[in-house]
Amino acid sequence: MRLTWVQPEDLLGHELRQAAEDGRDASAVERVWRDAGGADAPERAGASAAPADGRLRATALRLLDELALLPSPLAADEPADLAAVKAACPDWPAARTTREPLAHGGLRERLEAAWLGRAAGCLLGKPVEKMTLAGIREVARATGNWPLDGWFTQRGLPEETARRLPWNRRSAPTSLAENIDGMPEDDDLNYPLLGLLLLQRHGHGFTTADAAALWLDELPAGRTFTAERVAYRNLLDGLVPPETGRRHNPFREWIGALIRADVFGWTHPGDPAAAAELAWRDATLSHTGNGVYGEMFAAAVVAEAASGTGADVLACLRTGLRVVPARSRLARAVTFGIDTALAEATGTAAGFESVVDRLHEEYGHHHWVHVLPNAALLAAALTHARGDFTGSVCRAVSGGWDTDSVGATAGSVAGLLAGSPGALPARWTAPLKNRLATSVGGFDGTGFDTLARLTCDLALPLPRPSTDRQEIPAP
């Protein structure tokens, strides 16, 4: 077995692609790579070419270092330091200086709906992750599920179509309608669990180094992918943040950090500025630039949605934009998603197909795991569905790209806006059986009601801690 996402000869092609997106002139490096026999970036993030010889690997390592030195003309608009990020946000939200006591009953209900919504949206997207947009539409139509309105199924799917458009082979056995039996493990749920542990152990003042240590303690290396796997390798090599997110990491602006945002928003209801700052500390372990902004944006959206003040989904999305540098590509992508959805006249699920087509025209040149197309789709789905739960998760997944991740975040936000587990349609929540599978220690089999209680206990202002409260719940 050859470990993927970390081999220099595989990373080089992805870094050349990232350089082009950053506006860096990498033509000289690319010529050297081609002359050495180097290949393009594999379209599937984990795909790998045949094992490289020592000469090609050494060339890739040297060229990765050379690419890291190339200046980006976009750097001034996409700062890294938190103070500079704030300065680039002309409407950065004011931090809450006074905190009223939380209505824990109402918040706990919203948080349970958010956990359930995140799980359901993720599960909906799992069987079609890595499938093309055309493939998603074809299999949904072939089973009478288009516009998308429910779980994917292979019942009634023509055999030829199933062979030509295979499901995600790892996920289909647990995520097709006929197979669902509780919530199976997924990194989109593992990271919120790690976020809980991070806040339990270190509080809201945690550092990026605290997050790194937690990963080494609690996150199995085999459950990391793309940017997180590179950062994990860098930690094992002795690097410290933020170098862990920068060195030889062409995935640093992909969606991995965004999927870690929810806990920081859930525990800072109505305080998007604080949620975004915690997200920045978490994200810089593995990401830079727009990858970091993606987590900050999502954390602020979730914090606004968790407030219980009745804010509509557009207000939440626009709050999220306030913590993103205004001239960044992430801000443009989110704005494009919102505006494209608002311009679609029908507002129907069928009408969303044209919105998705427009998004793919604009962002289809990016890798399907990159944060920019997925953030644009997330914003468009939530906007077009007006925050309705079924509409939000189905539109998010029907748009392709990183289906389970976008579905998960859309489900979290829509769950918060719904306000309680009972407000979510039972056809989405009943199959979850209040049971989450995970390899994060101590949480396997935990119910979403328990996770909501633990999350609520961490929400600011914190209640006086109990001396006998266990850190990890019993399943």
Side-chain angles (χ1 to χ4, degrees), residues 96-457:
R96 277 174 34 177
T97 55
T98 60
R99 298 182 181 275
E100 300 77 23
L102 292 172
H104 271 54
L107 179 61
R108 189 164 55 246
E109 288 273 291
R110 291 195 296 279
L111 293 176
E112 186 174 350
W115 273 104
L116 287 165
R118 183 164 187 83
C122 173
L123 189 56
L124 175 64
K126 280 174 74 66
V128 294
E129 185 187 20
K130 305 178 185 178
M131 193 179 285
T132 65
L133 176 63
I136 291 171
R137 289 172 172 175
E138 184 175 347
V139 298
R141 287 189 176 107
T143 54
N145 189 21
W146 191 262
L148 189 65
D149 189 53
W151 306 110
F152 287 94
T153 179
Q154 60 184 3
R155 294 191 186 113
L157 187 67
E159 211 171 295
E160 182 276 331
T161 303
R163 281 196 307 270
R164 185 168 44 83
L165 299 168
W167 305 108
N168 183 323
R169 61 183 176 83
R170 292 185 178 180
S171 297
T174 57
S175 60
L176 293 175
E178 54 270 28
N179 301 332
I180 298 172
D181 183 20
M183 180 63 200
E185 180 169 13
D186 193 275
D187 59 338
D188 291 285
L189 277 297
N190 282 346
Y191 284 112
L193 297 176
L194 287 167
L196 281 183
L197 286 178
L198 184 62
L199 294 179
Q200 285 178 341
R201 294 184 183 181
H202 301 286
H204 296 266
F206 73 86
T207 66
T208 309
D210 292 329
L214 181 74
W215 280 22
L216 294 176
D217 286 346
E218 301 291 349
L219 177 60
R223 295 295 190 269
T224 60
F225 308 96
T226 64
E228 284 75 15
R229 184 171 291 183
V230 174
Y232 205 110
R233 177 209 63 193
N234 285 337
L235 285 170
L236 295 176
D237 283 345
L239 275 67
V240 297
E243 281 304 304
T244 47
R246 295 172 180 167
R247 180 166 172 75
H248 296 177
N249 187 359
F251 314 121
R252 60 192 177 273
E253 291 200 320
W254 289 18
I255 198 175
L258 186 150
I259 71 173
R260 310 196 313 250
D262 287 38
V263 166
F264 307 124
W266 290 341
T267 57
H268 290 82
D271 195 353
E277 290 196 30
L278 269 64
W280 181 88
R281 278 183 255 147
D282 178 74
T284 50
L285 172 56
S286 56
H287 285 70
T288 68
N290 294 283
V292 173
Y293 307 154
E295 183 168 354
M296 297 175 71
F297 164 75
V301 171
V302 169
E304 188 68 17
S307 66
T309 58
D312 65 21
V313 72
L314 266 178
C316 295
L317 292 169
R318 287 170 175 152
T319 295
L321 280 171
R322 294 172 65 188
V323 303
V324 176
R327 295 171 60 88
S328 68
R329 285 168 285 168
L330 194 284
R332 288 199 297 274
V334 170
T335 301
F336 184 85
I338 293 170
D339 291 347
T340 303
L342 290 175
E344 198 283 305
T346 71
T348 64
F352 191 66
E353 193 167 333
S354 66
V355 175
V356 170
D357 289 342
R358 183 72 187 94
L359 296 180
H360 278 256
E361 287 172 10
E362 187 73 15
Y363 288 102
H365 61 285
H366 288 280
H367 192 282
W368 61 272
V369 190
H370 200 284
V371 74
L372 295 183
N374 287 291
L377 175 58
L378 173 66
L382 287 166
T383 298
H384 196 266
R386 298 178 176 84
D388 169 74
F389 184 80
T390 295
S392 295
V393 295
C394 287
R395 283 166 173 77
V397 170
S398 71
W401 290 317
D402 198 345
T403 50
D404 63 333
S405 294
V406 179
T409 302
S412 169
V413 174
L416 289 167
L417 294 175
S420 70
L424 304 182
R427 63 193 177 100
W428 295 114
T429 57
L432 303 178
K433 297 185 177 178
N434 197 30
R435 186 177 70 241
L436 171 63
T438 181
S439 55
V440 177
F443 281 109
D444 190 45
T446 302
F448 296 102
D449 51 355
T450 298
L451 293 172
R453 176 178 58 78
L454 292 170
T455 309
C456 193
D457 286 348

Side-chain angles (χ1 to χ4, degrees), residues 56-104:
L56 186 62
R57 178 161 295 176
T59 300
L61 282 169
R62 175 172 60 83
L63 295 179
L64 284 168
D65 289 335
E66 289 184 19
L67 285 168
L69 298 174
L70 293 177
S72 169
L74 304 176
D77 294 333
E78 296 178 351
D81 178 76
L82 181 58
V85 170
K86 289 182 178 182
C89 300
D91 197 24
W92 181 271
R96 277 174 34 177
T97 55
T98 60
R99 298 182 181 275
E100 300 77 23
L102 292 172
H104 271 54

